[in-house]
C-alpha cells in the first residue's frame, strides 16, 4: 500500500464496490462566459470532459446509462454521482438544487460529488450542498492545480491560491469533504514547486487529491504554445518520479482520487503515454518499492 487509493477508501467506507458516474448537468463555466473572464484556462477543452460532454441527454438518462454500464463492466453495486463537466455551482441555488436532486430518484446512489472553481461558491451554495450530507457522502472538488500564483496566472486560471484556501476552509467547515485537482508538469514549475504544492495542501482541510499530468488537448491555447515549442511536457519516467515526490510529501490520510489523468483519444494531442494508465500506475508502485517509501513519508522525515 504505497498510497491511499480512492478504491480502498470506498471499500472501507461502504463495504461494497462503489463507482463514480460522470455527469454533464449542462452548467457553463464563469471563466468562459464572462465572469471573471472569457478565455478559460489555457489547457481546457470542455468537450474533453465526461462522455456526455457536448451531448443533449437528460441527467436522468445519463445516470441510468452510466449505472447500467458500471454494473456490467465493474460489477459495481453503489454509485457516486459526479457532476463533472465545467463548473457545477455556476447557477442560482434553486437550479443547482433541481440538478442535484435528480440523484434522489436512484436509491443505489450513495454519494454526490461536485466539481467546481474556488471562486464560484458562496455561503448559500455551500449550505445547499451541506444539506445532502445527512443522506449522502458529499464531496466538492476544486480545481486548485498549484499553490503558485505565478503559474495560475500563466495558465490563466483566473483565481489565486488564497481564493482556493478560503473556499477549501469554508467547505470543510460545513462538513463537506474537499477534493482538489492538481496538475503536475505545469509550465515553469520545478520538482521543488510541485513538492511545495503537496506540502501546502497537507496543511489544509483537504480529504482527497486528484492528480493530472499536464497534457495538450486540441483547440486550446496550450496546443498553440506546444505547436510553437514554447512549452515542454513531462515524459512518463519524469511523471512517475515527480508523482512519487509529490505523494511522499502529502498527508497519508489524504485519499488519492486519481493517480494519473487520461484523455479522450480524439482530443489528445500529447503526451500519448497518459492513456496507458495501468502501466503508469505499475511504474509508480515500482518506484515506491525501489525507494522504500510511501505517501506521507517525506513529511515524517522533515518533522
Ligand atoms: S478548466 Fe474548468 S475552470 Fe478552466 S475553463 Fe475549463 S471548465 Fe472553466
Amino acid at each position: 500500500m504505497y498510497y491511499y487509493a480512492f478504491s480502498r477508501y470506498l471499500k472501507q467506507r461502504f463495504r461494497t464496490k462503489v463507482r463514480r458516474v460522470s455527469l454533464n448537468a449542462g452548467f457553463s463555466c464563469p471563466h468562459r462566459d464572462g465572469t471573471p473572464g472569457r478565455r478559460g484556462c489555457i489547457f481546457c477543452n470542455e468537450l474533453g470532459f465526461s462522455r456526455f460532454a457536448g451531448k443533449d441527454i437528460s441527467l436522468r438518462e445519463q445516470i441510468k446509462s452510466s449505472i447500467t454500464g458500471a454494473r456490467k463492466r465493474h460489477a459495481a453495486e453503489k454509485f457516486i454521482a459526479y457532476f463533472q463537466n465545467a463548473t457545477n455551482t455556476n447557477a442560482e441555488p434553486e437550479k443547482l438544487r433541481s440538478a442535484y436532486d435528480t440523484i434522489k430518484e436512484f436509491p443505489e446512489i450513495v454519494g454526490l460529488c461536485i466539481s467546481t472553481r474556488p471562486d464560484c461558491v458562496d455561503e448559500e451554495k455551500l449550505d445547499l450542498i451541506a444539506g445532502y450530507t445527512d443522506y449522502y457522502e458529499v464531496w466538492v472538488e476544486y480545481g486548485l492545480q498549484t499553490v503558485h500564483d505565478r503559474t495560475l496566472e500563466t495558465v490563466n486560471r483566473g483565481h489565486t491560491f488564497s481564493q482556493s484556501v478560503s473556499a477549501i476552509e469554508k467547505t470543510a467547515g460545513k462538513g463537506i469533504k474537499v477534493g482538489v485537482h492538481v496538475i503536475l508538469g505545469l509550465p515553469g514549475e520545478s520538482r521543488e514547486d510541485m513538492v511545495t504544492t503537496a506540502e501546502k495542501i497537507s496543511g489544509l482541510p483537504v480529504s482527497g487529491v486528484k492528480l493530472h499530468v499536464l497534457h495538450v488537448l486540441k483547440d486550446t491555447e496550450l496546443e498553440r504554445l506546444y505547436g510553437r515549442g514554447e512549452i515542454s511536457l513531462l515524459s512518463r519516467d519524469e511523471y512517475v518520479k515527480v508523482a512519487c515526490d509529490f505523494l511522499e510529501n502529502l498527508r497519508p490520510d489524504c485519499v488519492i482520487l486519481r493517480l494519473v489523468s487520461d484523455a479522450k483519444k480524439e482530443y489528445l494531442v500529447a503526451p500519448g503515454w497518459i492513456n496507458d494508465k495501468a502501466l503508469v500506475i505499475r511504474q509508480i508502485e515500482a518506484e515506491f518499492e525501489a525507494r522504500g517509501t510511501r505517501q506521507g513519508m517525506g513529511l515524517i522525515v522533515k518533522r
Side-chain angles (χ1 to χ4, degrees):
M1 302 295 179
Y2 302 109
Y3 57 93
Y4 191 8
F6 191 42
S7 54
R8 176 151 57 102
Y9 166 82
L10 290 175
K11 201 76 206 258
Q12 288 166 341
R13 168 87 171 77
F14 295 103
R15 306 273 160 209
T16 185
K17 192 144 192 195
V18 180
R19 294 285 300 189
R20 302 220 289 192
V21 290
S22 293
L23 304 170
N24 173 14
F27 297 119
S28 64
C29 172
H31 197 30
R32 288 188 177 283
D33 68 12
T35 44
R38 287 187 187 277
R39 276 172 49 227
C41 308
I42 66 169
F43 48 78
C44 176
N45 178 338
E46 287 184 38
L47 294 174
F49 283 117
S50 79
R51 70 190 178 104
F52 297 114
K55 295 183 181 154
D56 189 17
I57 303 173
S58 75
L59 264 180
R60 213 161 275 112
E61 288 308 313
Q62 293 178 42
I63 295 173
K64 270 192 212 161
S65 142
S66 296
I67 285 181
T68 305
R71 277 210 171 105
K72 270 194 206 143
R73 278 194 303 278
H74 306 287
E77 293 181 354
K78 302 282 178 193
F79 304 90
I80 294 176
Y82 178 31
F83 287 75
Q84 182 186 18
N85 279 68
T87 302
N88 292 280
T89 54
N90 188 31
E92 291 305 312
E94 271 322 300
K95 197 168 170 201
L96 296 177
R97 185 195 303 280
S98 154
Y100 305 155
D101 270 358
T102 313
I103 67 173
K104 294 181 177 172
E105 298 170 28
F106 298 86
E108 57 275 73
I109 291 184
V110 293
L112 171 66
C113 179
I114 296 163
S115 177
T116 189
R117 289 174 55 85
D119 59 356
C120 194
V121 288
D122 56 28
E123 289 291 327
E124 197 181 355
K125 290 176 185 177
L126 290 175
D127 283 339
L128 166 69
I129 295 168
Y132 292 86
T133 58
D134 289 341
Y135 308 98
Y136 296 96
E137 160 101 0
V138 181
W139 288 71
V140 168
E141 287 187 3
Y142 289 113
L144 178 134
Q145 318 306 2
T146 172
V147 300
H148 303 285
D149 283 344
R150 64 171 199 283
T151 317
L152 290 169
E153 225 171 277
T154 302
V155 298
N156 194 40
R157 275 296 295 176
H159 64 76
T160 60
F161 173 55
S162 70
Q163 283 174 288
S164 291
V165 172
S166 164
I168 289 166
E169 286 175 343
K170 280 186 195 148
T171 307
K174 292 187 186 290
I176 300 165
K177 287 189 183 299
V178 177
V180 293
H181 297 199
V182 169
I183 302 177
L184 299 180
L186 284 167
E189 290 215 344
S190 63
R191 174 204 168 274
E192 286 68 32
D193 291 331
M194 295 180 245
V195 166
T196 301
T197 293
E199 290 169 343
K200 290 203 175 168
I201 289 172
S202 297
L204 294 170
V206 166
S207 299
V209 172
K210 189 179 275 185
L211 284 182
H212 299 253
V213 57
L214 182 70
H215 57 274
V216 181
L217 295 179
K218 281 184 188 155
D219 303 326
T220 60
E221 177 62 23
L222 197 63
E223 183 185 23
R224 286 177 275 283
L225 293 173
Y226 181 66
R228 294 201 297 262
E230 290 175 27
I231 56 138
S232 56
L233 302 173
L234 295 176
S235 68
R236 188 172 60 217
D237 288 348
E238 286 169 335
Y239 181 73
V240 165
K241 286 193 167 46
V242 84
C244 289
D245 294 340
F246 182 94
L247 292 170
E248 285 172 1
N249 290 284
L250 186 70
R251 264 191 288 114
D253 61 323
C254 224
V255 179
I256 305 309
L257 300 164
R258 190 159 62 196
L259 202 48
V260 61
S261 45
D262 51 6
K264 289 181 185 169
K265 262 195 213 146
E266 61 271 35
Y267 290 105
L268 181 63
V269 175
W273 60 261
I274 65 169
N275 279 348
D276 194 348
K277 279 175 84 164
L279 177 61
V280 179
I281 291 169
R282 278 201 306 277
Q283 284 196 337
I284 289 175
E285 291 175 352
E287 177 73 16
F288 273 127
E289 173 72 29
R291 293 183 185 192
T293 61
R294 60 180 186 278
Q295 182 178 339
M297 215 156 171
L299 292 176
I300 298 165
V301 171
K302 281 172 199 153
R303 267 186 210 136

